[in-house]
Amino acid sequence: MPSHRYRPVHERVDVPAHDRRWPSRTVTAAPLWVPVDLRDGNQALADPMDPDRKRRMFELFLAMGFKEIEVGYPSASRTDFDFVRLLAERDLVPDDVTPVVFTAARPDLIERTYASIEGLPRAVVHMYTSTAPTWREVVLGQERDDLRAFITRAAGHVARLGEGRPGVRFEFSPEVFNLTEPDYVLEICNGLSALWDASPDRPVIHNLPATVEVATPNVYADQIEYMHRHLDRRDGVILSVHPHNDRGTGVACAELAVLAGAQRVEGCLFGNGERTGNVDLVTLALNLHAQGVDPMIDLSDIDVVRATVEHCNRIPVHPRHPYGGDLVYTAFSGTHQDAIKKGFAHHERRAAELGVTPDRAPWAVPYLPIDPRDVGRDYEAVIRVNSQSGKGGVAYVLGVEHGLDLPRGLQIDFSRAVQDEAELSGGEVTGERLWELFRAAYVGRTGPVELLRWKVDDAGGEHAFTGDFAVTGAGERRGEGTGVGPLAALTAALRGLGHDVEIVGYTEHAVPASGRAAAGEESLAAAYVECRVAGVTAWGVGLAASVLTAAVDAVVSAVNHALSRD
């Protein structure tokens, strides 16, 4: 790799030394989030949004609770201009929401931008110019002083057109801020704060983009903190950031920038944007949520959010995308599944101890940083089974989907069969297929012994079992036996038929309502029996309306299971 062609960031931009304070800070409140999907994200689409998709995205932002929304670049395209006019003419912007319009620092484009917001009671006019040395030299062909004068003239035009419109505020982005000399960008920003008369009641926004991400996030944080501590009229300035994701650390850059003094973050839902994208507002917001900080936007139905974004962008969200991907709350690994299964059980117990519902109890489940139900996901897809899964995952799926609480020994026994199935198919074993395998192996297992009719009589503490069996090679035979309990009497009857049966394990439980529908019964009992038959150990399961019937069925199923093994 020709790495010698590239210079490290400390050779490209000087970050003045200062008493760094951001590493010791913590975030206790959400910044102002500003989605730029309708401008910056829209520019990054192979098929830019039509008016219907733009409006659908805008309505999503309103439903989520965003209070400032960049609605377009009205001087750049007729579609963007017409969309801003639609918002104004149809009064589609709520009173507590401020639209932002974007413009380059050219008088004709600024005038076109103001024409688009005519009739809007509130708006932010966002002007930008690239300021970094490479852009000055290669793109603009201007020296520092000339470019500063150019920006100042354009900003004066923005101010003149905004006179008499107190609802209009101003924003400036020195594009490629992170590669611009700090003293230069500070000089420009302070000049605009004075020109635009920044004050607490009409604050100016200085937005500092990492337009092309070139350094580790701590460098960006140092740059933001330097500006935060040296900006004039600081109480009249909203310090904003706009990280991109060229190095894959846009989220970290934004989080550290907030620690360093940023009050506002521009980004896109799920990180859409030019090249590798803008910072992802969904991940940023839910990172705060996972730390106990209210993100101040509503992501309680993340699948609706994702579906809307996919429709408007015509770009799918990756299955592993943080928080919103199809598979991010799903475990296939056996060790993960076991920990999650135990974590859910612990969470239920903890909620009961606290006297609250599980959705109100403190969350501490291994491998799940947040409760999937916080974002509208259910638990059905948390654990899925493939060749990498273990007994815990298999037991969890049967528990959630069918209400069964398998004993540990049965979990181990069944997981072997599931492993064989997964390796044979080479893919996932669905919940439906898992149930088919389980029923075939353990529930009503057919074989050499079939119980046709039976009854149990209780004679003063001793039970008598009488049954009619269909025995392979012997036809229908009557079996009778007595014992201290119904199952002991049944095994005695089986011994009379030539099958030496010993029950080595037995558990039972009522199947909860969530599992009854799957079994087609209004009320159901489950019985699990481990039997040793002629030296072979096997499991059987019974599901019936009565515990006794379930137990008898389980024993017969276990016997047939054992007799089918060599």
Side-chain angles (χ1 to χ4, degrees), residues 223-497:
Q223 293 172 313
I224 297 302
E225 186 171 66
Y226 174 80
M227 296 293 291
H228 165 59
R229 291 167 62 179
H230 291 87
L231 280 168
D232 293 343
R233 304 191 183 207
R234 188 65 187 87
D235 62 347
V237 170
I238 296 173
L239 182 55
S240 176
V241 293
H242 183 117
H244 279 253
N245 200 43
D246 301 83
R247 290 170 54 94
T249 58
V251 166
C253 280
E255 291 180 324
L256 297 193
V258 171
L259 291 175
Q263 301 151 285
R264 181 180 182 270
V265 178
E266 295 183 353
C268 291
L269 300 184
F270 300 107
N272 182 43
E274 289 286 7
R275 305 180 313 278
T276 54
N278 296 312
V279 69
D280 176 13
L281 297 185
V282 172
T283 298
L284 284 170
L286 289 174
N287 281 354
L288 286 185
H289 173 71
Q291 297 296 312
V293 176
D294 185 349
M296 302 301 291
I297 55 174
D298 185 2
L299 288 159
S300 60
D301 195 341
I302 202 166
D303 288 334
V304 167
V305 174
R306 188 188 69 186
T308 303
V309 171
E310 289 179 328
H311 168 79
C312 294
N313 289 344
R314 295 182 178 171
I315 297 175
V317 172
H318 195 280
R320 297 293 182 191
H321 196 99
Y323 299 108
D326 271 338
L327 297 177
V328 295
Y329 304 105
T330 301
F332 289 98
S333 161
T335 54
H336 288 212
Q337 291 174 341
D338 185 61
I340 291 170
K341 177 176 178 287
K342 291 173 180 175
F344 276 142
H346 178 270
H347 181 71
E348 295 280 346
R349 291 194 299 272
R350 182 64 175 149
E353 291 168 0
L354 295 172
V356 298
T357 56
D359 64 319
R360 308 302 299 175
W363 184 255
V365 173
Y367 296 112
L368 295 177
I370 66 170
D371 186 341
R373 287 183 175 168
D374 289 353
V375 291
R377 294 282 180 88
D378 57 35
Y379 293 152
E380 289 185 7
V382 169
I383 290 178
R384 288 161 59 178
V385 176
N386 64 14
S387 62
Q388 305 300 306
S389 305
K391 64 183 186 305
V394 171
Y396 177 84
V397 173
L398 290 177
V400 169
E401 296 190 9
H402 301 285
L404 301 184
D405 184 10
L406 272 57
R408 176 178 171 79
L410 180 53
Q411 292 180 30
I412 295 171
D413 192 76
F414 184 45
S415 67
R416 296 190 189 104
V418 175
Q419 179 80 10
D420 291 343
E421 171 79 8
E423 291 181 349
L424 183 64
S425 68
E428 180 181 354
V429 181
T430 65
E432 181 180 1
R433 179 57 179 155
L434 206 64
W435 181 238
E436 291 174 356
L437 292 171
F438 184 78
R439 288 186 66 95
Y442 304 105
V443 183
R445 179 75 178 248
T446 58
V449 178
E450 182 182 355
L451 182 57
L452 304 175
R453 295 167 292 277
W454 61 274
K455 67 175 182 176
V456 175
D457 296 316
D458 183 358
E462 187 173 67
H463 291 76
F465 183 95
T466 304
D468 293 326
F469 294 85
V471 180
T472 299
E476 186 172 321
R477 294 181 58 187
R478 170 63 60 91
E480 296 178 337
T482 59
V484 294
L487 297 188
L490 170 59
T491 58
L494 288 168
R495 279 194 295 273
L497 298 176

Side-chain angles (χ1 to χ4, degrees), residues 528-548:
Y528 311 93
V529 176
E530 185 179 18
C531 290
R532 185 177 293 115
V533 183
V536 176
T537 300
W539 283 88
V541 177
L543 298 171
S546 76
V547 173
L548 178 56

Side-chain angles (χ1 to χ4, degrees), residues 58 71 81-93 99 114-123 165:
F58 180 73
V71 294
F81 184 90
D82 289 347
F83 180 69
V84 179
R85 294 306 307 142
L86 176 74
L87 298 180
E89 292 168 359
R90 296 197 184 178
D91 194 23
L92 298 178
V93 183
Y114 268 95
S116 75
I117 62 171
E118 189 64 40
L120 285 172
R122 295 162 312 284
R165 301 184 64 169

